[in-house]
Structure formats: structure tokens, C-alpha cells
Amino acid sequence: MYFGPSEIDADEMGYAMSRLEIEADFCDAGKDFCGVGSSSGSQRSSEHLPDLDHEISQVTKLRSSPHQRFSREVPGRHQLPVSTVRMLAGRESNFSGRGRFSAADCCHMLSRYLPVKGPWLVDQMNSRAYVSQFSTDGSLFIAGFQGSHIRIYNVEKGWKVQKDILAKSLRWTVTDTSLSPDQRNLVYASMSPIVHIVDVGSGTTESHANVTEIHDGLDFSSDEDGGYSFGIFSVKFSTDGRELVAGSSDDSIYVYDLEANRVSLRTVAHTSDVNTVCFADESGHLILSGSDDNLCKVWDRRCFIGRDKPAGVLVGHLEGVTFIDSRGDGRYFISNGKDQTIKLWDIRKMSSGVPARHEVLRNYEWDYRWMDYPTEARDLKHPSDQSVSTYKGHSVLRTLIRCYFSPAHSTGQKYIYTGSNDSSVYIYDLVSGDKVAVLKHHTSPVRDCNWHPHYPTLISSSWDGDLVRWEFPGSGEAPIMSKKRVRRRHFYY
């Protein structure tokens, strides 16, 4: 974590924290935060472009920078974080004229305290962890494992297991899970056209499919499939909880109407596996998809131009897209790619079709499931790259590794973070591209990780079976590594 030359000293921070305890109403976002910061210095990737010169950089700064009266800008010098004490004193003196901190002031303070301390063990399983996600309000945490288990933890009750689900008809692994907005139902997918739904709100802790509870099956296949069995890589609830959107191994996007209990839309979206789908904003009109055909596509359900034709295409990845996360504003999203990069996109830059120069000729043979990325490919750039910015340093190998924007409430989405094949979690500054933190603990690829929507807490899950918690400031004992590991078969997706 980077503070620069004006790093907060212990006396200053102690005074600041005492003021935070006395005046707990300083902002809703920070009411439960405390601790002393540490600095490890940030690293700028040599492959990264200069600081982002785009509208999103200004929007990010507006959402995470303090009021101008708090800061002292020196021409020609890098703008350093404003002291917490200075901001508290400024509020006491009513520098801003508002008598309180703004949301941006809060984000500026809270985003400096990254969840980098620890880790502390949450759970340990004898199978690979594939999925880990907080609920929207942060009260629950869901983890899906290859060995048919999905566990829901109650965060507010000391990470107690609230629901221990044994999945039904699991093919290979739990590929994705999604919790409904009202937190009453959970869906889980595997390499099957059947998505199962579980009642999270029931009083039963042990949920064994069709033994202790019924796991209803939602069939995404149709008569047109002719018996072909495809798998679902990605599934998400809509904001109103009435629909599911899914991406599949038959190159398609599906929308499932839960009230009608049927597939309401299927479109052949790509020319290869659709690894990831999500809604671009709360309206549910725009769907984003990413595929092994290297493309990101935008689909507008209000105006389908033609069958299987997207509203726009975004080109830039040299290899397949493993995951997409939307900023939630219907404009920006990030994608993780097998070309070992995260890319930031502006939907308004999309083209109506695939550019003629999309196909980049390889002069090497490579399979990400068991081979390292070729050295000669690391400096290649797509000739028609439409992305806003590119972030490098982590590795996307062996599995569909995920990436995300940091929480809006506490950081103003000024960071992006990702798991990595090198067993670490990487946190990047969105605007500068700096690696502000690298979290190391695991012994196998970190496929998924998730930042609490309100608190400085991050959970990482790995193929080593460990689910661990990173915090600021952190407390408790460090995790104890188990010496017993189940031998894993070398199959990946």
C-alpha cells in the first residue's frame, strides 16, 4: 500500500483513530473502520501505459478524492494522499462549508486502508475452491468447491456455516453460483444444461440435494439441441431477481425467466465457449459477454438488430476472455484474458462488427491449461485494440480466473483486483496502473477472490482448498496449513 513520503506516523494516526472513535458519525462508510496503516511501496508495471487519460480517470478521481480545500496541490509533483488528521481538522473547521465529509472524502480516507494484513483462515476443504462471493450487503459469503460442496457463511456471526449444500448432478465442478437480490435463493451451475436452485432461507443447515431439501432443476436445453449436452460456465441473477443470464459451452447466451419457468432467450453469441456473462447495469437491458474467441460483446435486449447479432463488439484481447465485471454504470467494464492482461473498456467505443484486422496470426502453439504463456507473445498488441487501458503482472493460466472493481462504497472503485495462477491476489490502481498490493499465501492458483462491499476485508479462494481472509488492520491467528492434501487430477477448464 502506497502512502508516499508523507506517510502517516503513529502519533498522527493514533490521534486520528481516537477522533474516529469519538465521532463515529464521520461517515456511514467508515463507522467500523480502525487501525494503523502500513506502506510497502507500489510497483509500476514496466509494460503499463502512462496514467490513464480518459473520462473514467476523472470520474474515479471525483469519487475518491477529497475536497480541494483539504489538499495542497504542488505543480509538477505527484498528488499525495491528504493526511487523515488534516481532513479531520478540516472538518472541525468546516473547510468545505458542508459541516461533514462527502462520499468522496470518505472514500479517500477508507481506500488507503487496503485489506492486506493476514491472512486468517476461514475454511479449508480437500477439494479445489472455484467460486467465492459476498452477498450484495456483505452479510453472507458463498464458496463453491469442486467436491460438490457449496458453503454459505454468515459473516456477521463469526463466519459460521449457515448452509452446507451438497450439489446435485454435479459435472466436473461448481462452475458458478449466484445469490438472488433478496438473498432467499441460490443458483449453482456446472458442466451441465441444468442449473439448480436452493432455498437459502430455509431453516435446514445441511442441504443435501433431494435428500434433506429439494434442489429444483432449471433446464436450459431445448428440443433443438438434439440431445447435445452443454455446460454452463457463468450464471447471474438480474437486479429484480426475475431472470437469470447464463453463458455456455455451446457458444450461446441464455436468459431464463424464473416466473414463467422457461428459457425466454437464446442467442448464439460467439464462435467459441462463452466463459462469462453479466448485466451492465441495474436496468437489465444490457448484457456483456466474453468468450474464447477473444471478443467482448454488448447485447441490448431492447433492440435486437437481428438474430445472434450484438449491439456492439469490443476487440483487444489476443486470447480468450475468462471473466467480465461491470462497473455498474452501463459504460465501463473490465475483462480478464488468457493473454495475461486485464483490460478496461468503454462501451461507447464498441464497433458494430468485428474489425477486419481482428484475426492475429500466431507463430506459436499454446494451450493455457498446461503451458506457460509464450515469452514472444507477452509484448504483442492487438492491431485493432479498442480498450481504454491494459493491466499486467498477474497470470491467467489453468482456469478461468476472475477480476473485479473494488467496492464503490469504500474505495470509489479506484482499484481493480484479480486472482492469479501464481497463487497470489493482485490489486492495481485503476488510473495509474500501479500494483498497489500483491497478497501471497496460497500454494495453488487463486481462481476467485472478493472484497467486502463495506469493510476492508477480502477473501481469496484457491485450488489448494483454502478460503482465507485478508483485512485491515486484521486480528487473530495466522492460518495453519494442512499437510493433508487430496491428489488432484490434472484437468482444467
Side-chain angles (χ1 to χ4, degrees), residues 128-143:
R128 294 169 174 165
Y130 270 76
V131 183
S132 55
Q133 292 287 296
F134 280 105
S135 61
T136 303
D137 65 0
S139 63
L140 300 176
F141 186 83
I142 300 98

Side-chain angles (χ1 to χ4, degrees), residues 14 82 86 101 113 124 142 222 239 256 269 273 286 336 379 467:
V82 180
R86 180 179 174 81
F101 285 145
Y113 308 125
Q124 191 175 59
I142 300 98
S222 66
T239 306
Y256 194 97
D273 292 350
L286 294 179
N336 230 350
D379 295 326
L467 202 67

Side-chain angles (χ1 to χ4, degrees), residues 1-5 38-42 78-81 112 114 434 436:
M1 183 166 45
Y2 181 73
F3 287 87
S38 67
S39 74
S40 57
S42 62
H78 180 70
Q79 184 64 31
L80 299 174
R112 297 163 67 178
L114 299 179
D434 291 344
V436 296

Side-chain angles (χ1 to χ4, degrees), residues 338-377:
K338 297 176 184 178
D339 55 5
Q340 316 304 298
T341 68
I342 293 175
K343 285 187 175 290
L344 172 67
W345 307 91
D346 183 342
I347 288 177
R348 295 167 295 181
K349 290 180 174 286
M350 65 186 180
S351 54
S352 57
V354 181
R357 300 181 65 194
H358 166 58
E359 294 297 333
V360 179
L361 295 177
R362 276 191 188 180
N363 59 0
Y364 55 88
E365 291 294 327
W366 177 68
D367 190 316
Y368 97 117
R369 291 173 294 178
W370 52 74
M371 299 170 67
D372 290 335
Y373 196 58
T375 303
E376 60 268 31

Side-chain angles (χ1 to χ4, degrees), residues 185-197:
N185 294 293
L186 177 84
V187 293
Y188 62 87
S190 67
M191 294 305 293
S192 161
I194 308 295
V195 170
H196 293 278
I197 188 166

Side-chain angles (χ1 to χ4, degrees), residues 266-278:
R266 179 203 175 189
T267 181
V268 180
H270 292 267
T271 58
S272 191
D273 292 350
V274 180
N275 295 323
T276 176
V277 290
C278 69

Side-chain angles (χ1 to χ4, degrees), residues 17-236:
M17 291 301 107
S18 67
R19 295 300 300 164
L20 293 180
E21 291 171 359
I22 294 170
E23 298 192 39
D25 66 342
F26 85 101
C27 70
D28 291 338
K31 61 186 178 183
D32 290 320
F33 285 74
C34 63
V36 179
S38 67
S39 74
S40 57
S42 62
Q43 295 177 308
R44 176 178 291 278
S45 171
S46 59
E47 302 100 332
H48 196 272
L49 299 174
D51 283 9
L52 185 58
D53 182 18
H54 189 273
E55 176 189 307
I56 191 174
S57 66
Q58 300 304 317
V59 173
T60 302
K61 288 175 181 177
L62 285 173
R63 294 179 62 174
S64 60
S65 296
H67 191 279
Q68 60 183 2
R69 293 192 181 184
F70 288 135
S71 60
R72 294 183 244 179
E73 294 191 13
V74 180
R77 290 188 60 185
H78 180 70
Q79 184 64 31
L80 299 174
V82 180
S83 162
T84 303
V85 170
R86 180 179 174 81
M87 291 187 68
L88 287 168
R91 195 194 70 165
E92 293 292 323
S93 303
N94 198 18
F95 278 2
S96 66
R98 294 187 302 270
R100 61 185 294 274
F101 285 145
S102 66
D105 293 335
C106 294
C107 284
H108 177 77
M109 296 179 68
L110 301 178
S111 65
R112 297 163 67 178
Y113 308 125
L114 299 179
V116 297
K117 300 289 185 69
W120 292 272
L121 191 65
V122 173
D123 205 349
Q124 191 175 59
M125 300 286 282
N126 287 324
S127 65
R128 294 169 174 165
Y130 270 76
V131 183
S132 55
Q133 292 287 296
F134 280 105
S135 61
T136 303
D137 65 0
S139 63
L140 300 176
F141 186 83
I142 300 98
F145 300 87
Q146 188 175 17
S148 300
H149 267 93
I150 302 168
R151 286 186 170 176
I152 302 178
Y153 304 86
N154 192 314
V155 178
E156 298 175 348
K157 293 184 178 180
W159 293 87
K160 180 182 178 182
V161 176
Q162 179 169 307
K163 200 85 168 177
D164 192 1
I165 300 167
L166 187 62
K168 177 189 177 185
S169 305
L170 190 70
R171 291 188 182 177
W172 175 234
T173 184
V174 175
T175 54
D176 204 5
T177 64
S178 184
L179 187 65
S180 63
D182 61 8
Q183 300 185 179
R184 295 181 60 184
N185 294 293
L186 177 84
V187 293
Y188 62 87
S190 67
M191 294 305 293
S192 161
I194 308 295
V195 170
H196 293 278
I197 188 166
V198 184
D199 183 359
V200 174
S202 69
T204 305
T205 300
E206 301 293 327
S207 181
H208 291 197
N210 296 350
V211 176
T212 60
E213 284 188 321
I214 299 297
H215 293 189
D216 288 331
L218 311 176
D219 192 351
F220 280 67
S221 64
S222 66
D223 296 336
E224 297 177 3
D225 296 323
Y228 172 68
S229 182
F230 57 88
I232 291 177
F233 289 112
S234 178
V235 62
K236 296 289 185 296

Side-chain angles (χ1 to χ4, degrees), residues 11 216 288 377:
D11 291 337
D216 288 331
L288 307 174

